[in-house]
Amino acid sequence: KESFNIWLADYINLVSSEMDGQVDLKATREALLSEPPRYRDEAEAFWSQLSDETDAEIFLHHLTKQGAPSKKEGESSMEKRIREDFETFLSLPYSKQLSQLISLGTLRPILDEYCSEEERLTFIERYGETILEGMEIEHLVSDPNGTITVDDIGDDDLISKQDIVRDQRFSIQMIPYGTDEFGLRRSEKARALYRAWNMHKSGRARYAEIMFKAGKMPLQDSKQ
């Protein structure tokens, strides 16, 4: 248990940023341990129920007939949240329920972890501007008091092209998509830096997850 908690704390540090604020380790641990893995055939069975409006109507009929799960003694905070969210959904007008399910099915390429990268990229190219409209996008900007270092970015070619010095520090700045500031050359470079930093963190996190599943706990070892 102690080893898992140490790994979890370091793993969260890899996959989160200062923009996420304080992460509840206890709730995250409970969520990870209480959520069973979803396999490819299970994912396919779920998403196939939302492939079009007719399928979504059938699925909605099944959900409303089934109803929300009853409150049970000793339910976890995750189970409580799921139950309450389901109750909220069931309280919506039918048209709203159906609309949300259809929208969920439309977003499958970016929500289904088993979708191919090609499907995901095609979807983003087609609907990216609509989805991103008004959304604030992360940019990695130079900041002498920032917590992100050059080593955290990981892409030496990009660092070289942008003439970044080794002791430079960065922080994350949110800029709304589509604004004049978003379209500036410096903002484009800041987005490239953020992507590189995020990919570097994601790679480290995936490696840590694989090693943890193999029982090797690399993050714990790195502290010694």
Side-chain angles (χ1 to χ4, degrees):
K1 180 179 178 180
E2 182 180 355
S3 295
F4 178 80
N5 288 339
I6 293 173
W7 174 83
L8 178 61
D10 284 332
Y11 182 74
I12 288 176
N13 183 57
L14 284 175
V15 299
S16 61
S17 72
E18 58 192 37
M19 300 298 296
D20 297 317
Q22 186 67 31
V23 177
D24 188 331
L25 289 178
K26 183 179 179 181
T28 303
R29 181 179 185 277
E30 184 178 274
L32 285 173
L33 296 179
S34 63
E35 180 71 16
R38 184 179 296 277
Y39 299 102
R40 183 181 294 274
D41 57 343
E42 295 175 324
E44 179 60 36
F46 170 76
W47 288 107
S48 65
Q49 299 175 96
L50 301 173
S51 59
D52 56 37
E53 184 172 346
T54 300
D55 287 332
E57 286 184 305
I58 296 172
F59 183 51
L60 178 56
H61 174 73
H62 171 72
L63 290 179
T64 53
K65 184 177 180 180
Q66 172 185 307
S70 302
K71 182 179 180 180
K72 60 183 181 181
E73 185 178 352
E75 69 177 359
S76 67
S77 59
M78 174 61 67
E79 290 171 329
K80 179 182 178 182
R81 184 175 66 81
I82 292 173
R83 175 175 56 78
E84 292 178 342
D85 287 348
F86 196 10
E87 290 172 349
T88 300
F89 173 78
L90 292 177
S91 69
L92 296 172
Y94 177 84
S95 59
K96 184 68 172 178
Q97 293 173 335
L98 182 59
S99 174
Q100 290 197 353
L101 289 179
I102 293 172
S103 295
L104 180 63
T106 302
L107 294 172
R108 177 180 181 177
I110 58 176
L111 296 178
D112 181 5
E113 61 183 304
Y114 291 108
C115 270
S116 68
E117 190 67 19
E118 182 179 355
E119 289 178 286
R120 193 165 288 114
L121 289 174
T122 299
F123 180 85
I124 292 174
E125 287 175 0
R126 184 175 299 173
Y127 302 109
E129 289 196 7
T130 301
I131 294 173
L132 293 175
E133 185 176 358
M135 183 180 294
E136 291 190 326
I137 308 296
E138 295 91 346
H139 294 63
L140 205 61
V141 299
S142 181
D143 180 356
N145 298 315
T147 59
I148 300 171
T149 67
V150 171
D151 290 336
D152 293 328
I153 297 174
D155 189 331
D156 290 335
D157 289 339
L158 181 62
I159 291 170
S160 176
K161 289 178 182 177
Q162 296 207 19
D163 297 324
I164 295 172
V165 295
R166 298 307 303 184
D167 61 350
Q168 197 167 342
R169 304 185 74 85
F170 302 85
S171 63
I172 299 172
Q173 178 181 342
M174 306 297 288
I175 300 176
Y177 177 85
T179 61
D180 290 341
E181 175 65 21
F182 188 92
L184 296 178
R185 174 62 179 163
R186 65 168 179 266
S187 294
E188 182 181 332
K189 294 169 65 176
R191 289 193 294 277
L193 282 176
Y194 176 82
R195 287 193 296 270
W197 170 74
N198 200 39
M199 288 178 63
H200 187 55
K201 279 172 64 81
S202 297
R204 289 169 59 197
R206 284 194 296 272
Y207 171 76
E209 186 174 358
I210 291 170
M211 296 298 284
F212 172 73
K213 289 179 178 178
K216 297 183 179 181
M217 289 281 193
L219 293 176
Q220 182 186 7
D221 294 341
S222 67
K223 287 176 170 285
Q224 298 176 355

